[in-house]
Amino acid sequence: MRVVSLVPSLTEAVAVSVPGALVGATDWCTHPADLDVPRIGGTKNPKLDRVLALGPDLVVANAEENREPDLAALRAAGVEVLVTVVCDVPQAFAELARVLEACGATARPRWLDEAETTWSHLPRPEHRTTAVVPIWRRPWMVLGRDTFAGDVLSRLGVDHLHATHPDRYPRIPLDDLRAAAPDVVVLPDEPYRFTADDGPEAFRGLTCALVSGRHLTWYGPSLAEAPRVLGEALRAALH
């Protein structure tokens, strides 16, 4: 089985679960750290000629991260494309199992069982915390409805204030984000790389939590440690 992945979290999942299957990945596929496969461009602008030159049996993609015209072009060239849809944590586990089986995994990997157990045994949050969650600036964009990251936070006791917005990633003026007065502004380091020097200064007077974007937005092996990593970052900011 020769697999090309167009999704960083799926790249990590396939690489650690089906060694040797992955023959290509995007420029944004940073895990595993020692991943050594040809790169085929970005998630939004893959070099289709590079993908086809690798002779994949399967391309794994995601409905949110990848563009349908690119996937249609691959199918037209005779390549099988598996497209995942992930809007919450349970869906992530189901789709991961589907992807790994399609990539030739002969058994369910231990990390997937451990991650699912971790999430199914989360303690009930002692209290709920309100948040806004920017994922981009210039313009400011935040988590909206039906997002995987939003569900992750909700299960950790964090209710982001745009969860019922009609858009999944709405553009909200900075003044409106400030005026919402959340308990915490959650600033991940991807897709926009918020840092201590780039992000919190826009929310003076509000509590900001810098968190790992991989643990907030990726569905893969990082899911097993995501509750601990995110929980520690949130507690450090709020206490």
Side-chain angles (χ1 to χ4, degrees), residues 39-118:
R39 304 299 175 141
I40 51 77
T43 58
K44 301 296 187 186
N45 58 345
K47 308 296 184 184
L48 300 185
D49 56 340
R50 293 184 192 175
V51 176
L52 296 174
L54 293 170
D57 300 304
L58 178 68
V59 170
V60 293
N62 175 262
E64 178 177 299
E65 295 195 51
N66 307 118
R67 300 185 312 149
E68 178 54 34
D70 293 325
L71 306 182
L74 290 171
R75 293 189 187 97
V79 176
E80 182 179 355
V81 179
L82 188 161
V83 182
T84 59
V85 177
V86 177
C87 296
D88 57 33
V89 172
Q91 199 171 27
F93 289 125
E95 290 289 61
L96 283 165
R98 184 167 74 100
V99 166
L100 296 177
E101 181 179 2
C103 290
T106 56
R108 184 180 171 92
R110 179 179 297 177
W111 67 260
L112 187 56
D113 285 334
E114 290 175 349
E116 194 158 12
T117 297
T118 296

Side-chain angles (χ1 to χ4, degrees), residues 4-224:
V4 171
S5 172
L6 303 183
V7 185
S9 50
L10 295 180
T11 294
E12 183 179 16
V14 174
V16 303
S17 306
V18 195
L22 199 68
V23 297
T26 76
D27 299 344
W28 301 106
C29 294
T30 57
H31 288 74
D34 60 352
L35 183 66
D36 183 19
V37 296
R39 304 299 175 141
I40 51 77
T43 58
K44 301 296 187 186
N45 58 345
K47 308 296 184 184
L48 300 185
D49 56 340
R50 293 184 192 175
V51 176
L52 296 174
L54 293 170
D57 300 304
L58 178 68
V59 170
V60 293
N62 175 262
E64 178 177 299
E65 295 195 51
N66 307 118
R67 300 185 312 149
E68 178 54 34
D70 293 325
L71 306 182
L74 290 171
R75 293 189 187 97
V79 176
E80 182 179 355
V81 179
L82 188 161
V83 182
T84 59
V85 177
V86 177
C87 296
D88 57 33
V89 172
Q91 199 171 27
F93 289 125
E95 290 289 61
L96 283 165
R98 184 167 74 100
V99 166
L100 296 177
E101 181 179 2
C103 290
T106 56
R108 184 180 171 92
R110 179 179 297 177
W111 67 260
L112 187 56
D113 285 334
E114 290 175 349
E116 194 158 12
T117 297
T118 296
W119 281 95
S120 64
H121 290 84
L122 284 182
R124 182 183 297 274
E126 294 180 3
H127 63 274
R128 309 296 298 182
T129 300
T130 61
V132 295
V133 190
I135 50 94
W136 204 258
R137 67 182 301 176
R138 295 186 289 272
W140 287 95
M141 300 173 67
V142 300
L143 292 185
R145 65 171 177 82
D146 299 334
T147 64
F148 171 74
D151 188 55
V152 164
L153 289 172
S154 178
R155 291 168 187 272
L156 298 177
V158 178
D159 300 314
H160 73 90
L161 297 179
H162 298 91
T164 59
H165 194 283
D167 299 329
R168 299 188 71 207
Y169 300 99
R171 298 184 180 188
I172 307 293
L174 180 58
D175 287 346
D176 291 350
L177 296 180
R178 293 183 183 127
D183 296 324
V184 64
V185 179
V186 178
L187 297 170
D189 59 11
E190 62 174 272
Y192 185 90
R193 188 173 179 77
F194 289 107
T195 67
D197 299 320
D198 186 355
E201 82 289 343
F203 297 97
R204 287 190 176 91
L206 295 175
T207 298
C208 292
L210 294 165
V211 303
S212 163
R214 174 169 169 259
H215 291 94
L216 179 62
T217 65
W218 288 33
Y219 39 93
S222 59
L223 274 170

